Structure formats: C-alpha cells, structure tokens
Amino acid sequence: MAEILIVEDEFSINELIRRNLSLTGHRCTQAFDGISAVTLLENGSFDLVILDIMLPKLDGYQVLERASKTPTIFLTAKSELTDKLKGLAMGADDYLTKPFQMLELAARVEAVLRRTKKAETEFVLGDLKCDFESRQVFRNGIAVECTPKEYELLEVLIRNRNIALSREKLLDMVWGYDFDGGTRTVDVHIQRLRHKLHLENQIRTVYKLGYRLEVHE
Ligand code: CA
C-alpha cells in the first residue's frame, strides 16, 4: 500500500484514477489545481504523485519544481517529445500520454514504487501469503508448489485485484504476445490456481470476458 497524490483538474479522470488505484490497495488523495497540490505535498508525506501538466493556477512543471522530492509520474495530453523530455529532465520518474489504459497506469505505478522501494513485497489473503521477492506461495505457512506460469498468473491477478481482466490480456501479461496457445490455457491455469489455493470464491469468472480476483481490503 502506498500513499498516492493524484493531481488532475478533470474531475472524471481524477476520480477514475482514484477508484482504480484504491481498488489495488493504495491510499489516494486528490488535488484539482497546482496550488493545492503544492500545499498537500509540503504538508503531507506521499510515496508517489500522479501529476497532470495542464493545471489551473500552477502547471505540473511548476508543481514539480516546488515539490520535487516525491517520485512523480507525469500525465500529458501532449505527445510531443519535448514535453516528455522536459518532464523527465526535471526529475519525473515516468510519464503517461492521455488517453491511457488503467492497466498501463497500474503497471507504471507499480514499477515506480518498486524502484523507490515502496512496492508491496507480499500479499496476504486469509490463510494465503504470496511473497513477491522469493516468488513463493504459502498456505497456513506451508509452501504450495506452483509452476512458474501459475505463479505469474497469480501475481498478475493480485497486482490488478478487483479489476476484471480479459483472457486475452492475461495471456499477453503472463505468456507474452508471441504465445501460440489459445485462451483455453488461461482457463486451465485459473482452474488449477482455484483448486490448489482454495480460491474458488475469490477468483471470479467475469461473464464473456475473463477473471477477477475479488478482495475486500
Ligand atoms: Ca488538465
């Protein structure tokens, strides 16, 4: 769990980001203009800022100038290289060009948090524990044998928990784009995980789409 500040003046985008990052276990604070962002950054302690460039009062660059100690992911509507370079030169850790997919944002967030050592190192769900560093799964403290693909599938479900993931997306994320097998592979592995880890009630089938790991935190 990380403390994340979302700075975006478009309410619907800010809210969408907040909802998605909250579902994946992060605590989010929202700001809708540059001045309040700087105030929050000066008085709070955040692990990450998601910072839009075009903001009222102070723009994203000015916010970054005044509060550059916090790891930052820039949001930009502009795809011009100079904007990206300017942001990165000023110390931003990454940037995303709007419109972006929530899965992409979640992946960037985890990557930055991992680099800055704020990423989750383990995940506990009832009597189940997943250790991301040793890539091991424990049930009541006893290691459960998982194949590398079963483990990766579980980790993807955990890191994107409460989000519906299509079979195609899971196939891309776990097996890679060049994998020849069909989406049936995903179903087979999901069945094995459900059975092996007693997650029949938590790994939900999403009708006509795929799967979702349901966790109430
Ligand atoms: Ca904006």
XYZ file of all heavy atoms in Angstrom, residues 8-10 52-56 98, ligand 1:
75
model
N -5.007 16.274 -10.909
C -5.638 16.295 -12.243
C -6.901 17.120 -12.118
O -7.729 16.863 -11.247
C -5.935 14.846 -12.655
C -6.942 14.658 -13.762
C -6.477 15.198 -15.113
O -5.673 14.520 -15.778
O -6.928 16.308 -15.474
N -7.014 18.163 -12.958
C -8.170 19.059 -12.828
C -9.434 18.498 -13.462
O -10.528 18.951 -13.144
C -7.852 20.446 -13.399
C -7.409 20.383 -14.837
O -6.561 19.510 -15.164
O -7.898 21.178 -15.654
N -9.292 17.540 -14.358
C -10.505 16.935 -14.927
C -11.058 15.942 -13.927
O -10.456 14.882 -13.691
C -10.179 16.232 -16.239
C -10.529 17.070 -17.446
C -10.090 16.410 -18.725
O -10.836 15.559 -19.226
O -8.982 16.721 -19.197
N -0.723 15.838 -13.539
C -1.100 16.337 -14.855
C -0.262 17.586 -15.154
O 0.098 18.325 -14.235
C -2.601 16.676 -14.838
C -3.129 17.007 -16.226
O -2.547 16.516 -17.222
O -4.122 17.750 -16.310
N 0.039 17.842 -16.428
C 0.835 19.022 -16.759
C -0.035 20.270 -16.870
O 0.245 21.302 -16.268
C 1.655 18.802 -18.051
C 2.761 17.771 -17.763
C 2.277 20.119 -18.526
C 3.624 17.433 -18.937
N -1.128 20.162 -17.617
C -2.002 21.321 -17.799
C -2.968 21.424 -16.624
O -3.944 20.683 -16.545
C -2.791 21.173 -19.110
C -1.908 20.964 -20.326
S -0.868 22.390 -20.694
C -2.027 23.352 -21.656
N -2.638 22.352 -15.698
C -3.448 22.510 -14.489
C -3.757 23.980 -14.260
O -2.967 24.837 -14.650
C -2.661 22.033 -13.263
C -2.403 20.547 -13.068
C -1.350 20.351 -11.989
C -3.677 19.814 -12.708
N -4.856 24.300 -13.593
C -5.100 25.702 -13.233
C -4.133 26.166 -12.128
O -3.652 25.338 -11.360
C -6.537 25.709 -12.719
C -7.044 24.321 -12.795
C -5.931 23.408 -13.171
N -2.130 10.856 -22.326
C -3.583 10.632 -22.322
C -4.089 10.476 -23.753
O -3.581 11.163 -24.634
C -4.301 11.807 -21.654
C -4.036 11.881 -20.157
C -4.969 12.866 -19.476
C -4.350 14.238 -19.388
N -5.115 15.177 -18.550
Ca -5.548 19.086 -17.133
